[in-house]
Amino acid sequence: MAAITRHLTNRTYPISSLTRRCLSSALPSETNNSHAPPYSSFHLKPRVPPPEDLKNKHVQWVFLGCPGVGKGTYASRLSNLIGVPHIATGDLLREQLASSTSLSSQLSETVKQGQLVSDEVIISLLSKRLTAGEAKGESGFILDGFPRTVKQAEILEGVTEIDLVINLKLREDVLLEKCLGRRICSQCGGNFNVASININAENGNPGIIMAPLLPPANCMSKLTTRSDDTEVVVKERLRIYNEMSRPVEEFYRIRGKLLEFDLPGGIPESWPKLLQALNLYDYEDKQPATA
Ligand SMILES: Nc1ncnc2c1ncn2[C@@H]1O[C@H](COP(=O)(O)OP(=O)(O)O)[C@@H](O)[C@H]1O
C-alpha cells in the first residue's frame, strides 16, 4: 500500500507544467463522453503530507464539499499557514463578472440560477490564474471549487498530479442556513457569517453548534450577500452538487486521495481537528508569527 501511495504522490509535477496552454489543450472534444475511469472496488487511504512536502511547497491539494460547507474558509486558512495560493474558481468567476463584457452578462445568468458554467470558461479562468501565479514565482496550490465534475477531474488529472483531496462534510439543513447567513464586506472583501447554528442531538445523530462569524463594527454597514445565496438557488446548487460533483468524490476515493472530514462544529472546534487530520497540528506552532 505504502509503495502504491508513494508512487502516486512522487509523481507530483511542478506547477509550471500546469500552464494555461497545457490545461486548455487538455479539454476533450465535446463528443467524447466516455470518461469512465477504470474503477476498482478497493479504496486506497490518502497520504497526508510529510513536513518536507510543505517546506518545499509541494502542495497540490483540492477542497471538495457542498456549497456553504466552508471550503473557502478552511482553504484560505491552510493557504496562509503553508504559504501556497488558495485558488477558488467561484472567486475567479465573480471577478470576471465584475467586468462588464457580453461574456460576463451571459455567465452572470448561469451563476444566478445556480448552474455550472462551461468547462471551457472555468478552465480558461483557472489557466490564466495559474499562469499569472507562475510568473510571480508561486508554487503549489489549494484549489477550491475545481474540479466540480468528473470531466474536470479527468482534465486536471491529465495535466498534473493532485496530492490530496479534502472532502468537507456537513449535514444539508446546516448547509442551507450557512449559505443564507453568508455576508461579504464590500470594502475589505472579508467573509463573514451571521447564521447561528444550534441543533440538538437526536435519533443517534450528534448535535451541532456553530457560532456566527460576525464582522467588525466598521464592516457592518458594508455587508453584501451573494446573488446566488437565496434559498431557491442554494437548493438548486445542492441538487447540482449531488448530481455532478458527488461523483468527483468517488473519482478521488478510488485513487486513494480522498480525505473525508466531518466538520464537528464551527471554526474553533473544526480547525484544530482538521490540522490534526492533516498532520499539521505542530506545524502551526513552529511557524514564525508572521506566517
Ligand atoms: N469548477 C466549476 N465549474 C463550473 N462552474 C463553476 C465552477 N466553480 C465555480 N462555478 C460557478 O460559480 C458558482 C459559485 O461557486 P462557488 O463560489 O465555488 O460557490 P459554492 O461552493 O458556495 O457553490 C457556482 O454555482 C457555479 O455557477
Side-chain angles (χ1 to χ4, degrees):
M1 180 74 78
I4 299 171
T5 47
R6 209 169 323 113
H7 172 71
L8 277 177
T9 48
N10 283 348
R11 283 180 49 224
T12 301
Y13 305 121
I15 195 170
S16 57
S17 68
L18 225 171
T19 60
R20 181 181 177 191
R21 182 182 47 75
C22 188
L23 250 183
S24 305
S25 62
L27 270 172
S29 71
E30 276 307 305
T31 49
N32 178 11
N33 287 327
S34 61
H35 19 261
Y39 282 1
S40 67
S41 55
F42 71 95
H43 294 165
L44 303 172
K45 275 183 86 179
R47 164 192 178 268
V48 288
E52 322 77 85
D53 276 14
L54 301 174
K55 229 181 292 141
N56 300 327
K57 307 209 183 300
H58 277 317
V59 166
Q60 301 202 157
W61 293 355
V62 164
F63 264 87
L64 289 184
C66 290
V69 76
K71 297 184 294 294
T73 303
Y74 293 103
S76 149
R77 282 181 160 237
L78 281 173
S79 146
N80 290 334
L81 178 65
I82 303 168
V84 297
H86 163 213
I87 302 180
T89 44
D91 289 346
L92 298 180
L93 202 49
R94 282 182 286 277
E95 277 164 31
Q96 172 71 35
L97 297 186
S99 67
S100 45
T101 60
S102 62
L103 173 67
S104 50
S105 63
Q106 280 169 36
L107 294 177
S108 165
E109 269 317 297
T110 309
V111 174
K112 267 193 209 144
Q113 289 166 15
Q115 309 297 315
L116 298 186
V117 305
S118 71
D119 291 340
E120 285 73 14
V121 164
I122 213 75
I123 286 173
S124 156
L125 290 174
L126 179 58
S127 303
K128 278 187 202 150
R129 169 63 187 82
L130 289 167
T131 307
E134 194 184 331
K136 286 191 287 179
E138 276 180 4
S139 173
F141 53 75
I142 301 178
L143 291 181
D144 151 12
F146 188 94
R148 245 180 165 94
T149 62
V150 170
K151 185 167 153 196
Q152 292 179 4
E154 288 180 336
I155 291 170
L156 187 61
E157 199 79 348
V159 293
T160 196
E161 185 79 35
I162 295 301
D163 311 317
L164 186 68
V165 177
I166 302 156
N167 189 26
L168 296 184
K169 298 198 294 194
L170 200 54
R171 40 193 281 182
E172 202 151 296
D173 49 348
V174 175
L175 292 171
L176 179 61
E177 287 298 307
K178 289 217 32 236
C179 282
L180 299 181
R182 283 206 282 221
R183 300 290 181 271
I184 301 155
C185 173
S186 55
Q187 193 165 39
C188 73
N191 286 286
F192 307 101
N193 206 305
V194 296
S196 177
I197 313 285
N198 189 348
I199 297 177
N200 292 330
E202 62 177 2
N203 303 332
N205 295 320
I208 186 158
I209 295 177
M210 298 174 100
L213 183 61
L214 296 175
N218 52 333
C219 294
M220 268 305 186
S221 60
K222 297 157 201 136
L223 296 184
T224 57
T225 306
R226 269 170 51 177
S227 62
D228 57 346
D229 275 344
T230 63
E231 183 165 348
V232 172
V233 179
V234 171
K235 285 185 173 163
E236 176 63 1
R237 279 158 55 210
L238 287 169
R239 189 191 68 74
I240 289 187
Y241 185 89
N242 285 323
E243 183 184 316
M244 311 287 288
S245 308
R246 198 70 77 189
V248 179
E249 298 176 6
E250 187 60 11
F251 178 93
Y252 287 118
R253 187 177 293 117
I254 60 165
R255 287 165 173 78
K257 296 183 179 179
L258 194 74
L259 180 76
E260 305 275 15
F261 188 79
D262 281 293
L263 288 156
I267 297 171
E269 303 83 40
S270 304
W271 176 240
K273 291 219 164 79
L274 181 62
L275 292 180
Q276 251 162 13
L278 291 168
N279 277 349
L280 289 174
Y281 200 72
D282 295 338
Y283 188 84
E284 191 170 36
D285 297 337
K286 288 183 195 140
Q287 295 313 295
T290 51

